[in-house]
Each structure stands twice: as structure tokens, then as C-alpha cells.
Amino acid sequence: WEQFKDTKKYPAEIYFDTTADPAIPAEFVSIRTGFAKYKKFLYPQPVITASEMLKKIPLAVSERGLCTFWGAAYIQNPHEKTGNLISTLMGEVAAKYADALVYSYGGRAVAWADENQVGGQLSMGRIVEFVYTCTEDESKAMDTGRVNPIQPNELFGPIVCSRRSTDKSSGNYSYADYSGIVDYCVERIFNEVLPYQLVKFNDDAHRAVVRNKVDLILKPLTASPNNVIRDYAKKCDSENNNDEVLAREEFVLTVGIKVTPKSEVILFNFVNSAQGASVEEDVQ
């Protein structure tokens, strides 16, 4: 991973590991808190049974930029005509996260069926069978423990079943898609708006420029089909840049966003209306 420290030579948005080396999570935390802030990191758990995986929860790491996965499959050997290989499928998972970044700035969930170009369906072309599978209860327990199972599904084929980051909080940062769009917003504002205010006038004209630049970044994120945030607000005026702030030669910008929520529970009400009843009234 040392070569990636040269970010100009090796620019990267997504880092992933396929080895399940136990040292990788700590290495990834170090990289993300160092030279690769706001980037996404993906790594697999060892090839073990679901019950053995659940014994490893809670995970040692808690970082909203890191996502971990359980599941492995036998895949066709691309080098020989006979024999299969065991894969943690992380290359395909990373490709789905790359799609989410391209189509929705990282704000769409890499889980379950594909729709609107992004989801959690993996290619069935090379997968022969999964090494281990888990029950629905085990899958839910892994999701609660911030582990994303990769499983076969009778309708959709191989899918990523959850969208968790390893962050142990109960808020938005425990979800990879919400954390991803926050990273996108913060990185762009931090790199494309704030540096230009260094040693510039802290006056109404420059504050207006900053507010306009924030709009240029965030407003597209509220528009369909990439409406990954549903509301935002920014404040950069004489109120939060008051005389005390000016005396300290500071410049204050405050931005708030509200992510567009995902549907994790689907409710389906089916009504068989009586012949003399009004169907419209029955479904109200």
C-alpha cells in the first residue's frame, strides 16, 4: 500500500483487499486517516461458516469509510479448463461500488437487486457455487454487526445483502451509501471552495462567492435521478462571521445536508374487495 501514498501518480477512489489478512483493517484505517481521506475501503472476512463469523462480532474496527463482507464462492478457473478457484468476490463488489460512485457520487446502496444502474447483484457468469451460505437470521445478525453477507438469491442470483460500513454508531455513518455521499460533499467543498478563501477578504462579496460555489456542488445532488440528498442548507454571512471571528482572522462556513433515505422495510397491503364495495375506498 506504500505506493498509493503518491496520490498524484496513483489516484484512487476505492481501495479493496481480497486476502482477508487480519492486518488489513488497521492498515486501511491508517490509510484513510492519512493520505486517502474520504475514500472507500472494502475488505473480506475469512472463508468461514456463518456461525464462526458471528462469533467474531463485534468487529475490532469502527470506521465509516470501511466496509467488510462475508461470503466466498467457487469460480471457474480462467487459466485452466478443469478445477475451480475459491474467491471472496471482492473484485466484483468493488466494481459495484465504482458504479455507485459514477452514477450517484457514491450515494446509492450496493445491496440487493440492481435498479437505476446500481445495486448488489453480482455476475453469475463465473460463479459455480457458494462455499458457505447463511440463514435469514444469521444474515440479519451480520447486518446488525456491520458485516455485509454475499449470498445466492433464488430471484436475483448472487447478491450483496447489506450496505453497512463498519461504523458502530446507530446513525447514518453506519450505512456505506450515506457515508459515501457525506464524504463526496465534504471532500469537494473542502478542496474546491475553502482553499480559495485563504488570505482573502472576509466580506459580503467573498461570502456570496462561497455560498454560490456550495450551491453548484450540492444542488445537482437533489435532482433526479441522482437525488441522493433531499435537502441542504448553508450559512456564510455576517452572523457566523461576526466581529469576534473577524478579529481571529477566521472564515466560517457551515453546511448541513439531509440524505435521501432508503427503504429497508417494504409493506404490501393487498385487499380483496367485496363485490358491493368500493375498491377505491378499501385501499384508502
Side-chain angles (χ1 to χ4, degrees), residues 146 164-165 167-176 178-179:
R146 310 302 190 256
R164 293 285 195 172
S165 75
D167 183 271
K168 292 185 174 70
S169 73
S170 58
N172 285 343
Y173 290 159
S174 69
Y175 295 95
Y178 297 155
S179 176

Side-chain angles (χ1 to χ4, degrees), residues 45-57:
Q45 290 294 318
V47 183
I48 55 179
T49 66
S51 60
E52 290 173 325
M53 180 65 246
L54 291 175
K55 292 176 183 177
K56 295 184 63 179
I57 295 173

Side-chain angles (χ1 to χ4, degrees), residues 39-109:
K39 307 305 181 183
K40 187 70 71 180
F41 294 81
L42 316 173
Y43 69 96
Q45 290 294 318
V47 183
I48 55 179
T49 66
S51 60
E52 290 173 325
M53 180 65 246
L54 291 175
K55 292 176 183 177
K56 295 184 63 179
I57 295 173
L59 302 173
V61 65
S62 176
E63 168 56 54
R64 68 184 183 88
L66 273 63
C67 300
T68 188
F69 304 83
W70 173 87
Y74 295 100
I75 63 171
Q76 296 174 358
N77 190 335
H79 308 293
E80 300 179 7
K81 294 183 179 179
T82 59
N84 298 318
L85 304 175
I86 292 180
S87 171
T88 54
L89 305 174
M90 293 307 300
E92 290 208 22
V93 171
K96 302 300 288 189
Y97 273 86
D99 286 343
L101 194 64
V102 169
Y103 293 118
S104 63
Y105 318 102
R108 291 187 188 176

